[in-house]
Amino acid sequence: MRSRIMNTPSEKILIYGFTEEYAEKFRGVAKRMKLELCILPPESAGEQVGYLAGFGGFAAGAVTEEKRTDSRQCVIFFTDGRKLSRTVDDMRSNGLGGIPLKAAVTAANQKMTLSELMDELEKEHKIMHSEDDKNV
């Protein structure tokens, strides 16, 4: 059986761990791209991505995981593919390029906690960069 995203919420960008200076830049991107911006508090690290994105069927505190508050920064997008590409381009041109932990909400990650998703993104980032180092 195939997984799919149900109860689609509005298109948005979720950010975690950024300073107010960066949050202001994200506000500009969100406004230009007509996306909602959600600034996630530190205690949201233990919440499921589906809940944070606003999907039905998810509840606050549904996962019993230690709430992590760390200095990692993460951007999560919930938008269609074409708009996602334009949004990332707008981020780059407005001083928000080079953020390693970025993801789109998918059926595969909506049940993960934000902390689990960041762990997964960090693993992928390390693998991709270790491959780049081997090719130099």
Side-chain angles (χ1 to χ4, degrees):
M1 177 158 46
R2 202 169 186 193
S3 294
R4 63 178 192 254
I5 294 176
M6 303 290 287
N7 305 318
T8 307
S10 62
E11 293 182 312
K12 62 186 74 174
I13 302 172
L14 298 99
I15 63 172
Y16 176 85
F18 289 92
T19 64
E20 183 55 37
E21 177 184 348
Y22 278 94
E24 192 58 37
K25 290 180 181 183
F26 277 108
R27 284 185 188 96
V29 171
K31 184 175 181 179
R32 284 187 295 278
M33 299 307 298
K34 296 181 172 70
L35 297 167
E36 180 183 346
L37 176 67
C38 299
I39 301 171
L40 303 173
E43 59 271 12
S44 63
E47 298 291 353
Q48 290 178 300
V49 172
Y51 168 74
L52 297 172
F55 289 98
F58 292 91
V63 176
T64 56
E65 176 185 304
E66 180 181 325
K67 308 280 190 273
R68 288 177 34 180
T69 56
D70 54 29
S71 61
R72 295 187 292 179
Q73 300 171 328
C74 184
V75 181
I76 303 171
F77 303 95
F78 181 70
T79 185
D80 68 61
R82 288 181 307 237
K83 195 169 194 176
L84 174 59
S85 294
R86 291 193 321 267
T87 302
V88 171
D89 289 344
D90 191 280
M91 285 172 54
R92 283 188 191 114
S93 64
N94 287 284
L96 294 168
I99 298 168
L101 304 184
K102 294 186 290 288
V105 177
T106 66
N109 68 20
Q110 64 182 333
K111 291 183 181 179
M112 291 179 168
T113 65
L114 178 58
S115 182
E116 290 169 337
L117 177 60
M118 289 190 293
D119 289 346
E120 187 65 28
L121 292 172
E122 283 177 337
K123 287 178 195 172
E124 290 174 7
H125 184 73
K126 285 178 184 173
I127 290 169
M128 287 174 35
H129 282 51
S130 68
E131 290 298 318
D132 289 346
D133 293 342
K134 291 177 185 176
N135 293 326
V136 175

